[in-house]
Amino acid sequence: MDRGTLLLALLTYGAVTFFLVAVIWRIRHWVRMPRSFPLTLFPAAPNRGRVSGRVFRELLTMRSLWSGSKEGWAAAWSFHVLLALALLGHATGIATLGLQHALQGTETQETVSKGWYFRATPVRSSPIAMASRV
């Protein structure tokens, strides 16, 4: 691993660590702040199971936004569903990094099994390699 790659990896891990620590610190700060009066976000339910069910249903369907603005609900709900799908697609791509290249034939299976994802010799010419020769 060369110095540039190592530096990039350290910066990435450092940024993610800083972000997570800052988010946790901020949430702990908010939780510890004194409340001047009780604030009810959801209607009271007889037990924690029902409260959890109502909160979960609100998170999935955004019912309070539906009652306020149907156009706003459609825009917000579709945005969040598409964002979740994009994040799921990225997570899948990162989890199978290297394997997708082997399946496309741009890397050898031996390279993937050893974890050398970026130093592989192509099995056959890929469209990108052919386009770069022109």
Side-chain angles (χ1 to χ4, degrees):
M1 185 181 303
D2 63 341
R3 288 183 181 179
T5 306
L6 182 61
L7 179 63
L8 183 62
L10 289 174
L11 284 173
T12 303
Y13 284 117
V16 169
T17 303
F18 178 78
F19 173 75
L20 292 175
V21 168
V23 167
I24 291 169
W25 179 82
R26 177 62 76 178
I27 290 171
R28 288 184 71 206
H29 177 72
W30 287 334
V31 167
R32 292 179 179 179
M33 285 178 65
R35 293 174 195 88
S36 57
F37 59 91
L39 186 62
T40 304
L41 297 177
F42 295 99
N47 58 21
R48 286 185 187 263
R50 287 227 174 124
V51 170
S52 299
R54 286 183 181 181
V55 170
F56 188 69
R57 187 174 56 219
E58 177 66 28
L59 287 173
L60 286 180
T61 61
M62 300 182 189
R63 282 179 50 181
S64 60
L65 187 57
W66 172 265
S67 63
S69 167
K70 306 262 189 287
E71 295 85 12
W73 174 86
W77 194 82
S78 61
F79 169 77
H80 284 91
V81 167
L82 293 174
L83 180 64
L85 289 175
L87 291 174
L88 181 67
H90 280 78
T92 303
I94 291 169
T96 60
L97 188 62
L99 181 60
Q100 70 267 31
H101 296 294
L103 294 173
Q104 294 170 353
T106 56
E107 285 196 44
T108 62
Q109 188 62 38
E110 176 187 342
T111 304
V112 173
S113 65
K114 291 184 178 180
W116 300 334
Y117 299 132
F118 302 109
R119 298 187 318 184
T121 305
V123 175
R124 62 178 169 77
S125 293
S126 67
I128 296 172
M130 289 190 288
S132 65
R133 288 187 220 148
V134 174

